[in-house]
Amino acid sequence: MTTTSGTPATRTGKRAPLVGLVAAVVLMALAASVPWLWGWNVHAKSDQDGTFPPLSATFDLRVGVGTLPAVLIALAGWRWAIDQAASLPWRQLLLGSYVVGLAWLLALAYVDGPEGISRVLSSHNEYLQTARVTDDVPALLQEYVSRIPVTADDNWVTHVAGHPPGALLFFVFLVRIGLGGDYAAGLVVTLLAATTSVAVLVALRALGAEKVARRAAPFLVLGPAAVWTAVSADGMFAAVAAWGLAALALAATRWGTRQALAWSALAGLLLGCCVLMSYGLPLLGLPALAVLAAARRWRPLPIAAVVALGVVLVFAAYGFRLWEAYPVLHDRYWYGIAHERPNAYWVWGDLAALLFCAGPLLGAGLGQLASLRRHADRTVLLLVGGAALSIVLADVSLMSKAEVERIWLPFVPWLLVSVALLPERWRRHGLAVQVVLALVLQHLLDTTW
């Protein structure tokens, strides 16, 4: 066996994927069983009866109209996806990744019927109800920070308070153009979220890693992350983040052309928008640096950074200052359920939730990457390393205790690039594990998102 870069694998390297996979499965099992065995209320949800920590979910066995399509897509993907990803012309691979990914998202969501698309955004804690009554955006930005505290008069609902105004303004835009219904908005989010895998593939090819892109493609398109991607705004955040990093990769590898300046500016615009959608997405700076390091060209950085900072400062000029909002949000978070969620569980339970979302094959991919170290594909090492470091920082911040199966969606595809290093036998069997887990989670659990 050899690595993707042609380096012979050592005996230790041959065992590394198995060690990583076993470690992932053990961590997932412990996170699910420890609260039950010890009677430990970890407050995965406010109503603890029938919950399934570390996920924000309750047991609810069911089948629906999306069950048969989801099973057929899973079977077809397991049978043909790896071969097709290796042989299709590039543009057909991108189109196929989007079409199959979208079908997978919709099929899983439709296990619950049309409500699988509309139910989440219809919640009073989400953005849409606030977006529908917003008629003065400048006034909203002026009062945004003052309405974050739970003790404030007319305080924001949970998700509006927990995010910068960029997330809310996206839904205000949908309302203004007539797509503010629960189902319509959910469908828009899903259509956008399905482009995430395409953006990652574009970035990899731009960085000279087309072979890696083709090997990783089936796992970017099909997997358990789809359970949350289709029904949460974080799926849309993941798409914006992925295209921002893809634009940065294109800027770095096409320097010297007029397009490079435009790509740099677009990267800054998209990444700046990400910062104003979620307080955790400034951590995208690490994957962004990894992209530039992989390209060995830093010239796009000043342009992208200035444009991203400009986005933040425009909002500040209208009254929303990110640096003032975060401490206020921190206080509200710890005033609420965060102080009831034990750090001793969530500091590792969050990592288990990430594995439920990304799939246990991520453990095998990370194990393989760790065993190869400097012999691994340089682009994979940098991109996965940047995403992994972002996750570590988010975890130790204790600002994401629980619910990370959706919160960390923007980092999941970049971590999954590691599976491209696995031998073909591992990837073929691993894809079956990924899709089966997705089907089990969707049919066995009623997830919050």
Side-chain angles (χ1 to χ4, degrees), residues 114-303:
E115 280 195 355
I117 296 294
S118 64
R119 175 176 56 87
V120 170
L121 292 178
S122 68
S123 168
H124 73 279
N125 284 320
E126 289 280 343
Y127 308 94
L128 264 181
Q129 293 191 26
T130 302
R132 289 171 184 148
V133 298
T134 298
D135 55 11
D136 189 338
V137 171
L140 177 144
L141 294 177
Q142 287 286 344
E143 64 185 18
Y144 203 90
V145 176
S146 66
R147 294 177 61 180
I148 293 176
V150 72
T151 55
D153 293 335
D154 197 21
N155 62 78
W156 297 122
V157 297
T158 303
H159 277 256
V160 176
H163 293 78
L168 174 60
L169 292 181
F170 171 78
F171 291 98
V172 171
F173 172 74
L174 292 186
V175 170
R176 297 279 178 89
I177 64 173
L179 294 173
D182 298 340
Y183 183 86
L187 188 59
V188 170
V189 167
T190 305
L191 290 169
L192 292 174
T195 68
T196 302
S197 60
V198 178
V200 177
L201 296 178
V202 168
L204 288 169
R205 190 173 192 246
L207 294 171
E210 181 177 334
K211 184 178 179 180
V212 169
R214 290 180 177 276
R215 291 168 66 95
F219 304 92
L220 299 174
V221 173
L222 300 170
V227 172
W228 295 275
T229 299
V231 293
S232 71
D234 297 82
M236 181 266 292
F237 302 165
V240 177
W243 282 111
L245 294 174
L248 193 62
L250 291 168
T253 53
R254 297 185 181 181
W255 196 260
T257 67
R258 292 181 180 178
Q259 289 126 352
L261 297 175
W263 284 120
S264 299
L266 179 60
L269 177 63
L270 292 173
L271 295 175
C273 288
C274 284
V275 170
L276 288 163
M277 288 178 172
S278 173
Y279 290 105
L281 291 185
L283 289 172
L284 286 170
L286 293 172
L289 293 175
V291 166
L292 296 175
R296 293 185 171 91
R297 183 165 285 129
W298 299 90
R299 290 183 179 180
L301 180 58
I303 298 171

Side-chain angles (χ1 to χ4, degrees), residues 76-104:
W78 169 71
R79 176 62 180 85
W80 290 298
I82 289 177
D83 293 331
Q84 291 298 308
S87 61
L88 281 174
W90 182 251
R91 291 186 179 181
Q92 291 183 29
L93 175 61
L94 295 182
L95 178 60
S97 295
Y98 179 73
V99 171
V100 174
L102 179 60
W104 180 238

Side-chain angles (χ1 to χ4, degrees), residues 395-414:
D395 191 36
V396 299
S397 76
L398 299 178
M399 283 296 290
S400 299
K401 293 195 294 182
E403 307 173 29
V404 298
E405 61 269 23
R406 63 166 181 88
I407 295 171
W408 290 349
L409 280 173
F411 303 102
V412 167
W414 305 98

